[in-house]
Amino acid sequence: AMIITLEQLKTLRACPEQRSLFESLFGKSVEITEALCLRHAQEFNWGWAAETLLSPQAWEGYIVARTQAWEAFEANRGPALKAREAVRVEAWERFKTARGNRNRVWKVWGAAQVEAWGAYDVALAPILKAYDVARAIAFARAATKKALDRSLARR
């Protein structure tokens, strides 16, 4: 099994926020499992972990899975973009009819943009979560393969 240590993360220059999160959750070390990666799918930078911690062969497997996950993300992002565009169009109409001084009009537009991106974020959240989960699973499986490759090499 693959073990990741806090010391490894420091040596490999993981960002302070990720190291702090790692330490608060796991202490000095943790054994990588698929269940663990799923539980923390949206908390850790799986791309950095894969690129930094996996063997070249395991990295290749991770890239294949990540690419498939990204393609699914892109294919399913349309509804989120439509939600944003619908709010943006409505915001544009409010902006065009806004009366008052220039600052008030621009505040209406700014608030509308925040609302539009909020609609996008809400619609995108489940798609992004699915992508994060797929990357976490890909990392766990690649990490397990790495450990398996090492054990087979010892025989």
Side-chain angles (χ1 to χ4, degrees), residues 84-154:
R84 180 193 169 276
E85 184 60 15
V87 173
R88 194 195 66 72
V89 166
E90 181 184 315
W92 179 248
E93 292 305 316
R94 285 195 312 249
F95 174 73
K96 288 191 318 187
T97 60
R99 301 284 182 249
N101 69 36
R102 180 175 278 171
N103 286 339
R104 183 190 174 290
V105 171
W106 282 109
K107 282 182 182 177
V108 167
W109 178 246
Q113 290 301 305
V114 168
E115 186 181 340
W117 282 110
Y120 176 77
D121 289 344
V122 167
L124 189 67
I127 302 160
L128 189 56
K129 181 178 181 180
Y131 175 66
D132 289 340
V133 165
R135 288 188 326 145
I137 291 171
F139 177 80
R141 290 180 180 168
T144 303
K145 181 177 179 355
K146 176 182 175 184
L148 180 62
D149 289 347
R150 280 189 192 154
S151 68
L152 291 174
R154 289 184 195 136

Side-chain angles (χ1 to χ4, degrees), residues 1-10 18-33 36 39-40 44 53 139:
M2 179 184 219
I3 306 284
I4 298 175
T5 68
L6 184 58
E7 193 58 40
Q8 262 181 312
L9 297 178
K10 287 177 184 174
Q18 291 282 284
R19 290 192 322 251
S20 179
L21 178 61
F22 180 94
E23 186 173 27
S24 71
L25 291 171
F26 312 123
K28 294 186 187 274
S29 67
V30 68
E31 181 177 337
I32 297 302
T33 65
L36 177 106
R39 197 165 39 253
H40 301 287
F44 287 106
L53 300 169
F139 177 80

